[in-house]
Amino acid sequence: MDNQILVIAFDADDTLWVNEPYFREAEAQFASLLADFIPEKSIVAALYETEILNLPLYGYGIKGFMLSMIEATLRITEGKADPLVIQKVIELGQSMLNKPVELLEGVEEVLKALHGKFRLVVATKGDLLDQQRKLTKSGLDHYFHHIEVMSDKQEKDYQKLIRHLDCQPEAFLMIGNSLKSDVLPVLAIGGNAIHIPFHTTWAHEHIDHTIEHPNFYQMESLSEVLLKLRI
């Protein structure tokens, strides 16, 4: 692999910096807000169902999550929610948008080692403004040749990206924490993928089968990428 890779793309959330724990924290606070109406487990399930139904409308990210919390509140309370509860839901979302960017261990060291040897790219899902904000706050933006904020991560989305980069699939390597979004579609178009798991993953990103593919690599930490690429 190390002899053919020209472009290395990184997922952002939970690959470069912490993200999913903030959603789970907000989800728990949301469930607590509405605990007088139905059991908290049912609140979490209703919120998840609402999020999935809204993905085609809002896409991924905190703003869509906030709108789904508001909608789930109205459903759960049958439209009887106190306006103060809606205000607290909005404040939950705003708090998420104002979270500091916490880099994961070894991220900057790896980017420094790869910079100048490969074209480095961010390929992430989510809200454009929020992802740009996080990248700027991270202090990592100068390492990257290109930033791609995708509405989704399907095969067609990666094909569009590598065409834009004027790169052949076999010269493209994607690194991320989601097997569903960062690995499977890249392998399907002939690219290479490294999965580095994060301790918390959104249920929507889970898959129920193992992956066996010559272009797939499983690693426990980002620093292992340097060993694989012989840096």
Side-chain angles (χ1 to χ4, degrees), residues 160-173:
K160 178 182 176 182
L161 174 61
I162 64 173
R163 283 197 303 269
H164 176 78
L165 295 169
D166 195 23
C167 172
Q168 296 301 312
E170 59 269 21
F172 180 82
L173 169 63

Side-chain angles (χ1 to χ4, degrees), residues 37 73-83 85-86:
F37 292 90
T73 298
L74 296 174
R75 286 175 54 199
I76 290 167
T77 66
E78 297 180 343
K80 300 173 184 176
D82 189 314
V85 173
I86 301 295

Side-chain angles (χ1 to χ4, degrees), residues 86-115:
I86 301 295
Q87 179 61 40
K88 288 180 181 179
V89 168
I90 293 171
E91 289 171 358
L92 273 178
Q94 292 173 336
S95 175
M96 293 173 71
L97 289 167
N98 287 314
K99 289 286 188 183
V101 175
E102 180 184 347
L103 296 183
L104 294 177
E105 184 177 356
V107 164
E108 187 149 21
E109 291 79 3
V110 168
L111 293 177
K112 282 181 181 178
L114 297 175
H115 188 246

Side-chain angles (χ1 to χ4, degrees), residues 4 10 26 31 34-35 44 47 53 70 78 110 117 122 139 151 163 174-175 177 183 189 192 195 199 210 220 222 231:
Q4 65 179 359
F10 293 83
L34 299 178
V44 171
L47 175 57
L53 289 173
I70 293 171
E78 297 180 343
V110 168
K117 300 179 178 68
V122 172
S151 58
R163 283 197 303 269
M174 181 69 197
I175 300 173
N177 68 296
V183 172
I189 66 170
N192 303 273
H195 177 238
H199 61 80
T210 58
E220 294 304 314
L222 197 58
I231 302 299

